[in-house]
Amino acid sequence: MKHLILTLAFACAALLPASADNLSESILRHVASTLREYGDYEVRFTVSAEGMGTTSGEYAVSGDRYRIRIRQQEQFSDGKNRYEIYDADREVVIDRIDTNTHDLFTNPTRAFDFAPEEFDSTYKGREKVGRKEADVVRLTPRNAHAAQGTITLYFDATTGLPLRIDYDYQGEQITVTLNRITPKEIDASLFVFDPARYADYEIIDFR
């Protein structure tokens, strides 16, 4: 699917809790703080959605820069611009990065940096995710007409790190499983657009 990341991005709403019980609020603050302290880190994940099966991907974050790969598509940002690479179509789409979005698929640098608006958050107890005990937090949009539906997050009960995200978008179920989060120094060249590398691609610039 050509625009897989953008399709998922539309379906996966920004994770922004509004009012929260104390425990869920504490869990959300912890994960945001931990990832900020990492600074540089790499995440390997899988995405499962009805009609699309299961797809593996990975992303790297360094401050406000990121690079994300899913299937044959990749996207990266230098903190100001977003570059979407479509090798099959020999296209590069360039646009300004939306620094306000918390969407995992369009700005993973802020995917777990929550703001107190748009969603109510509720602690739902513990469940097993694989072999791990997970604290479950449910995010419900305050606006009944919001495009996004309920989001359920699963956090490792030992480390507090995210293990899984379940999105419900108008009845469509999308699950992102975070298989590994590794703090590591990320090569800065990953976030640099080199026009020479894409000399035979069509450049579509929306800036």
Side-chain angles (χ1 to χ4, degrees), residues 13-44:
L15 307 178
L16 306 175
S19 62
D21 59 71
N22 290 337
L23 184 51
S24 67
E25 192 173 56
S26 175
I27 292 169
L28 297 173
R29 283 199 305 265
H30 174 76
V31 69
S33 175
T34 299
L35 293 178
R36 280 197 298 268
E37 288 176 5
Y38 282 175
D40 287 17
Y41 58 92
E42 183 179 78
V43 178
R44 295 185 183 276

mmCIF file of all heavy atoms in Angstrom, residues 13-44:
data_model
loop_
_atom_site.group_PDB
_atom_site.id
_atom_site.type_symbol
_atom_site.label_atom_id
_atom_site.label_comp_id
_atom_site.label_asym_id
_atom_site.label_seq_id
_atom_site.Cartn_x
_atom_site.Cartn_y
_atom_site.Cartn_z
ATOM 1 N N ALA A 13 -4.929 8.507 16.228
ATOM 2 C CA ALA A 13 -5.056 9.884 16.676
ATOM 3 C C ALA A 13 -3.936 10.272 17.613
ATOM 4 O O ALA A 13 -3.252 9.438 18.179
ATOM 5 C CB ALA A 13 -6.397 10.055 17.409
ATOM 6 N N ALA A 14 -3.773 11.569 17.813
ATOM 7 C CA ALA A 14 -2.821 12.065 18.799
ATOM 8 C C ALA A 14 -3.219 11.590 20.182
ATOM 9 O O ALA A 14 -4.392 11.581 20.535
ATOM 10 C CB ALA A 14 -2.817 13.599 18.765
ATOM 11 N N LEU A 15 -2.233 11.193 20.960
ATOM 12 C CA LEU A 15 -2.509 10.632 22.276
ATOM 13 C C LEU A 15 -2.488 11.744 23.314
ATOM 14 O O LEU A 15 -1.462 12.042 23.904
ATOM 15 C CB LEU A 15 -1.460 9.570 22.609
ATOM 16 C CG LEU A 15 -1.287 8.484 21.551
ATOM 17 C CD1 LEU A 15 -0.195 7.527 21.983
ATOM 18 C CD2 LEU A 15 -2.588 7.748 21.320
ATOM 19 N N LEU A 16 -3.645 12.359 23.561
ATOM 20 C CA LEU A 16 -3.672 13.535 24.413
ATOM 21 C C LEU A 16 -4.743 13.404 25.489
ATOM 22 O O LEU A 16 -5.892 13.773 25.275
ATOM 23 C CB LEU A 16 -3.962 14.791 23.562
ATOM 24 C CG LEU A 16 -3.038 15.008 22.380
ATOM 25 C CD1 LEU A 16 -3.522 16.206 21.577
ATOM 26 C CD2 LEU A 16 -1.629 15.226 22.838
ATOM 27 N N PRO A 17 -4.439 12.909 26.672
ATOM 28 C CA PRO A 17 -5.440 12.762 27.705
ATOM 29 C C PRO A 17 -5.847 14.103 28.302
ATOM 30 O O PRO A 17 -5.028 14.992 28.458
ATOM 31 C CB PRO A 17 -4.746 11.903 28.753
ATOM 32 C CG PRO A 17 -3.305 12.120 28.528
ATOM 33 C CD PRO A 17 -3.131 12.389 27.064
ATOM 34 N N ALA A 18 -7.126 14.243 28.647
ATOM 35 C CA ALA A 18 -7.603 15.498 29.208
ATOM 36 C C ALA A 18 -7.723 15.390 30.724
ATOM 37 O O ALA A 18 -6.915 15.934 31.447
ATOM 38 C CB ALA A 18 -8.938 15.864 28.594
ATOM 39 N N SER A 19 -8.734 14.711 31.224
ATOM 40 C CA SER A 19 -8.814 14.504 32.660
ATOM 41 C C SER A 19 -8.459 13.057 32.930
ATOM 42 O O SER A 19 -8.667 12.188 32.091
ATOM 43 C CB SER A 19 -10.230 14.820 33.156
ATOM 44 O OG SER A 19 -11.166 13.953 32.561
ATOM 45 N N ALA A 20 -7.905 12.793 34.101
ATOM 46 C CA ALA A 20 -7.395 11.450 34.335
ATOM 47 C C ALA A 20 -7.523 11.099 35.799
ATOM 48 O O ALA A 20 -7.486 11.969 36.668
ATOM 49 C CB ALA A 20 -5.937 11.358 33.917
ATOM 50 N N ASP A 21 -7.685 9.804 36.096
ATOM 51 C CA ASP A 21 -7.523 9.387 37.464
ATOM 52 C C ASP A 21 -6.029 9.472 37.786
ATOM 53 O O ASP A 21 -5.182 9.489 36.892
ATOM 54 C CB ASP A 21 -8.083 7.978 37.677
ATOM 55 C CG ASP A 21 -7.411 6.948 36.783
ATOM 56 O OD1 ASP A 21 -6.232 6.635 37.040
ATOM 57 O OD2 ASP A 21 -8.048 6.470 35.827
ATOM 58 N N ASN A 22 -5.710 9.522 39.059
ATOM 59 C CA ASN A 22 -4.323 9.796 39.455
ATOM 60 C C ASN A 22 -3.342 8.751 38.951
ATOM 61 O O ASN A 22 -2.226 9.081 38.553
ATOM 62 C CB ASN A 22 -4.234 9.901 40.981
ATOM 63 C CG ASN A 22 -4.908 11.142 41.509
ATOM 64 O OD1 ASN A 22 -5.067 12.118 40.785
ATOM 65 N ND2 ASN A 22 -5.316 11.110 42.771
ATOM 66 N N LEU A 23 -3.732 7.462 38.980
ATOM 67 C CA LEU A 23 -2.805 6.414 38.588
ATOM 68 C C LEU A 23 -2.504 6.465 37.099
ATOM 69 O O LEU A 23 -1.340 6.374 36.688
ATOM 70 C CB LEU A 23 -3.363 5.038 38.963
ATOM 71 C CG LEU A 23 -2.449 3.846 38.693
ATOM 72 C CD1 LEU A 23 -1.057 4.062 39.291
ATOM 73 C CD2 LEU A 23 -3.078 2.564 39.245
ATOM 74 N N SER A 24 -3.529 6.600 36.274
ATOM 75 C CA SER A 24 -3.280 6.659 34.828
ATOM 76 C C SER A 24 -2.450 7.887 34.475
ATOM 77 O O SER A 24 -1.555 7.825 33.635
ATOM 78 C CB SER A 24 -4.602 6.665 34.046
ATOM 79 O OG SER A 24 -5.332 7.855 34.268
ATOM 80 N N GLU A 25 -2.727 8.990 35.146
ATOM 81 C CA GLU A 25 -1.960 10.215 34.889
ATOM 82 C C GLU A 25 -0.494 10.019 35.246
ATOM 83 O O GLU A 25 0.405 10.470 34.527
ATOM 84 C CB GLU A 25 -2.566 11.371 35.688
ATOM 85 C CG GLU A 25 -2.048 12.735 35.301
ATOM 86 C CD GLU A 25 -2.829 13.826 36.012
ATOM 87 O OE1 GLU A 25 -2.893 13.787 37.270
ATOM 88 O OE2 GLU A 25 -3.373 14.699 35.328
ATOM 89 N N SER A 26 -0.241 9.336 36.357
ATOM 90 C CA SER A 26 1.136 9.070 36.790
ATOM 91 C C SER A 26 1.865 8.179 35.787
ATOM 92 O O SER A 26 3.041 8.418 35.468
ATOM 93 C CB SER A 26 1.122 8.409 38.167
ATOM 94 O OG SER A 26 2.417 8.040 38.563
ATOM 95 N N ILE A 27 1.185 7.168 35.278
ATOM 96 C CA ILE A 27 1.784 6.261 34.296
ATOM 97 C C ILE A 27 2.145 7.016 33.022
ATOM 98 O O ILE A 27 3.235 6.845 32.460
ATOM 99 C CB ILE A 27 0.818 5.096 33.988
ATOM 100 C CG1 ILE A 27 0.679 4.184 35.211
ATOM 101 C CG2 ILE A 27 1.294 4.294 32.780
ATOM 102 C CD1 ILE A 27 -0.437 3.163 35.094
ATOM 103 N N LEU A 28 1.252 7.873 32.564
ATOM 104 C CA LEU A 28 1.498 8.629 31.338
ATOM 105 C C LEU A 28 2.659 9.604 31.508
ATOM 106 O O LEU A 28 3.490 9.763 30.604
ATOM 107 C CB LEU A 28 0.231 9.384 30.932
ATOM 108 C CG LEU A 28 -0.972 8.507 30.575
ATOM 109 C CD1 LEU A 28 -2.212 9.364 30.353
ATOM 110 C CD2 LEU A 28 -0.683 7.649 29.352
ATOM 111 N N ARG A 29 2.730 10.243 32.672
ATOM 112 C CA ARG A 29 3.847 11.162 32.928
ATOM 113 C C ARG A 29 5.164 10.411 32.952
ATOM 114 O O ARG A 29 6.188 10.904 32.468
ATOM 115 C CB ARG A 29 3.638 11.908 34.256
ATOM 116 C CG ARG A 29 2.647 13.043 34.207
ATOM 117 C CD ARG A 29 2.858 13.979 35.397
ATOM 118 N NE ARG A 29 2.806 13.257 36.659
ATOM 119 C CZ ARG A 29 1.718 13.141 37.415
ATOM 120 N NH1 ARG A 29 0.575 13.682 37.007
ATOM 121 N NH2 ARG A 29 1.761 12.485 38.560
ATOM 122 N N HIS A 30 5.150 9.217 33.533
ATOM 123 C CA HIS A 30 6.384 8.438 33.658
ATOM 124 C C HIS A 30 6.953 8.077 32.295
ATOM 125 O O HIS A 30 8.169 8.230 32.065
ATOM 126 C CB HIS A 30 6.133 7.172 34.469
ATOM 127 C CG HIS A 30 7.312 6.248 34.517
ATOM 128 N ND1 HIS A 30 8.412 6.492 35.311
ATOM 129 C CD2 HIS A 30 7.589 5.103 33.833
ATOM 130 C CE1 HIS A 30 9.294 5.531 35.138
ATOM 131 N NE2 HIS A 30 8.825 4.672 34.247
ATOM 132 N N VAL A 31 6.121 7.585 31.392
ATOM 133 C CA VAL A 31 6.646 7.161 30.089
ATOM 134 C C VAL A 31 7.161 8.362 29.308
ATOM 135 O O VAL A 31 8.201 8.287 28.645
ATOM 136 C CB VAL A 31 5.595 6.372 29.284
ATOM 137 C CG1 VAL A 31 4.446 7.260 28.818
ATOM 138 C CG2 VAL A 31 6.251 5.693 28.075
ATOM 139 N N ALA A 32 6.459 9.492 29.379
ATOM 140 C CA ALA A 32 6.919 10.682 28.673
ATOM 141 C C ALA A 32 8.273 11.132 29.210
ATOM 142 O O ALA A 32 9.184 11.465 28.445
ATOM 143 C CB ALA A 32 5.889 11.802 28.797
ATOM 144 N N SER A 33 8.422 11.132 30.529
ATOM 145 C CA SER A 33 9.672 11.550 31.154
ATOM 146 C C SER A 33 10.813 10.601 30.801
ATOM 147 O O SER A 33 11.929 11.041 30.494
ATOM 148 C CB SER A 33 9.489 11.613 32.665
ATOM 149 O OG SER A 33 10.708 11.898 33.312
ATOM 150 N N THR A 34 10.538 9.295 30.819
ATOM 151 C CA THR A 34 11.581 8.305 30.528
ATOM 152 C C THR A 34 12.115 8.470 29.115
ATOM 153 O O THR A 34 13.329 8.465 28.884
ATOM 154 C CB THR A 34 11.039 6.879 30.714
ATOM 155 O OG1 THR A 34 10.634 6.707 32.077
ATOM 156 C CG2 THR A 34 12.102 5.842 30.372
ATOM 157 N N LEU A 35 11.223 8.619 28.146
ATOM 158 C CA LEU A 35 11.664 8.738 26.759
ATOM 159 C C LEU A 35 12.391 10.054 26.518
ATOM 160 O O LEU A 35 13.340 10.109 25.723
ATOM 161 C CB LEU A 35 10.477 8.589 25.816
ATOM 162 C CG LEU A 35 9.832 7.190 25.805
ATOM 163 C CD1 LEU A 35 8.638 7.147 24.872
ATOM 164 C CD2 LEU A 35 10.846 6.118 25.410
ATOM 165 N N ARG A 36 11.975 11.112 27.197
ATOM 166 C CA ARG A 36 12.709 12.375 27.073
ATOM 167 C C ARG A 36 14.124 12.224 27.615
ATOM 168 O O ARG A 36 15.078 12.766 27.059
ATOM 169 C CB ARG A 36 11.965 13.498 27.793
ATOM 170 C CG ARG A 36 10.802 14.081 27.016
ATOM 171 C CD ARG A 36 10.373 15.429 27.585
ATOM 172 N NE ARG A 36 9.919 15.310 28.966
ATOM 173 C CZ ARG A 36 8.656 15.106 29.326
ATOM 174 N NH1 ARG A 36 7.736 14.949 28.384
ATOM 175 N NH2 ARG A 36 8.324 15.032 30.597
ATOM 176 N N GLU A 37 14.268 11.498 28.706
ATOM 177 C CA GLU A 37 15.595 11.282 29.286
ATOM 178 C C GLU A 37 16.484 10.444 28.366
ATOM 179 O O GLU A 37 17.701 10.644 28.322
ATOM 180 C CB GLU A 37 15.464 10.598 30.649
ATOM 181 C CG GLU A 37 14.921 11.506 31.737
ATOM 182 C CD GLU A 37 14.709 10.770 33.047
ATOM 183 O OE1 GLU A 37 15.082 9.580 33.125
ATOM 184 O OE2 GLU A 37 14.189 11.386 33.991
ATOM 185 N N TYR A 38 15.897 9.512 27.632
ATOM 186 C CA TYR A 38 16.679 8.728 26.676
ATOM 187 C C TYR A 38 17.343 9.648 25.650
ATOM 188 O O TYR A 38 18.492 9.444 25.271
ATOM 189 C CB TYR A 38 15.789 7.731 25.937
ATOM 190 C CG TYR A 38 15.432 6.482 26.709
ATOM 191 C CD1 TYR A 38 14.551 5.556 26.168
ATOM 192 C CD2 TYR A 38 15.971 6.222 27.962
ATOM 193 C CE1 TYR A 38 14.205 4.402 26.859
ATOM 194 C CE2 TYR A 38 15.634 5.072 28.665
ATOM 195 C CZ TYR A 38 14.742 4.166 28.107
ATOM 196 O OH TYR A 38 14.406 3.026 28.776
ATOM 197 N N GLY A 39 16.604 10.650 25.171
ATOM 198 C CA GLY A 39 17.138 11.533 24.130
ATOM 199 C C GLY A 39 17.186 10.834 22.787
ATOM 200 O O GLY A 39 16.400 11.114 21.888
ATOM 201 N N ASP A 40 18.120 9.888 22.628
ATOM 202 C CA ASP A 40 18.230 9.067 21.417
ATOM 203 C C ASP A 40 17.759 7.647 21.733
ATOM 204 O O ASP A 40 18.184 7.065 22.734
ATOM 205 C CB ASP A 40 19.685 8.982 20.937
ATOM 206 C CG ASP A 40 20.178 10.277 20.306
ATOM 207 O OD1 ASP A 40 19.527 11.315 20.517
ATOM 208 O OD2 ASP A 40 21.219 10.233 19.644
ATOM 209 N N TYR A 41 16.907 7.102 20.884
ATOM 210 C CA TYR A 41 16.482 5.717 21.084
ATOM 211 C C TYR A 41 15.909 5.158 19.784
ATOM 212 O O TYR A 41 15.566 5.901 18.856
ATOM 213 C CB TYR A 41 15.468 5.587 22.218
ATOM 214 C CG TYR A 41 14.194 6.396 22.054
ATOM 215 C CD1 TYR A 41 13.054 5.860 21.457
ATOM 216 C CD2 TYR A 41 14.127 7.710 22.518
ATOM 217 C CE1 TYR A 41 11.892 6.598 21.325
ATOM 218 C CE2 TYR A 41 12.977 8.466 22.384
ATOM 219 C CZ TYR A 41 11.852 7.901 21.797
ATOM 220 O OH TYR A 41 10.715 8.645 21.664
ATOM 221 N N GLU A 42 15.833 3.844 19.754
ATOM 222 C CA GLU A 42 15.338 3.122 18.586
ATOM 223 C C GLU A 42 14.195 2.209 19.027
ATOM 224 O O GLU A 42 14.251 1.609 20.099
ATOM 225 C CB GLU A 42 16.468 2.295 17.976
ATOM 226 C CG GLU A 42 16.111 1.545 16.712
ATOM 227 C CD GLU A 42 17.314 0.785 16.180
ATOM 228 O OE1 GLU A 42 17.620 -0.294 16.751
ATOM 229 O OE2 GLU A 42 17.958 1.277 15.239
ATOM 230 N N VAL A 43 13.170 2.109 18.198
ATOM 231 C CA VAL A 43 12.006 1.284 18.516
ATOM 232 C C VAL A 43 11.732 0.328 17.352
ATOM 233 O O VAL A 43 11.693 0.749 16.196
ATOM 234 C CB VAL A 43 10.751 2.154 18.762
ATOM 235 C CG1 VAL A 43 9.532 1.270 19.049
ATOM 236 C CG2 VAL A 43 10.987 3.132 19.904
ATOM 237 N N ARG A 44 11.561 -0.934 17.668
ATOM 238 C CA ARG A 44 11.111 -1.922 16.693
ATOM 239 C C ARG A 44 9.682 -2.295 17.044
ATOM 240 O O ARG A 44 9.373 -2.557 18.215
ATOM 241 C CB ARG A 44 12.025 -3.151 16.708
ATOM 242 C CG ARG A 44 13.446 -2.843 16.250
ATOM 243 C CD ARG A 44 14.299 -4.095 16.151
ATOM 244 N NE ARG A 44 15.660 -3.772 15.785
ATOM 245 C CZ ARG A 44 16.078 -3.593 14.529
ATOM 246 N NH1 ARG A 44 15.222 -3.733 13.531
ATOM 247 N NH2 ARG A 44 17.339 -3.290 14.277
#
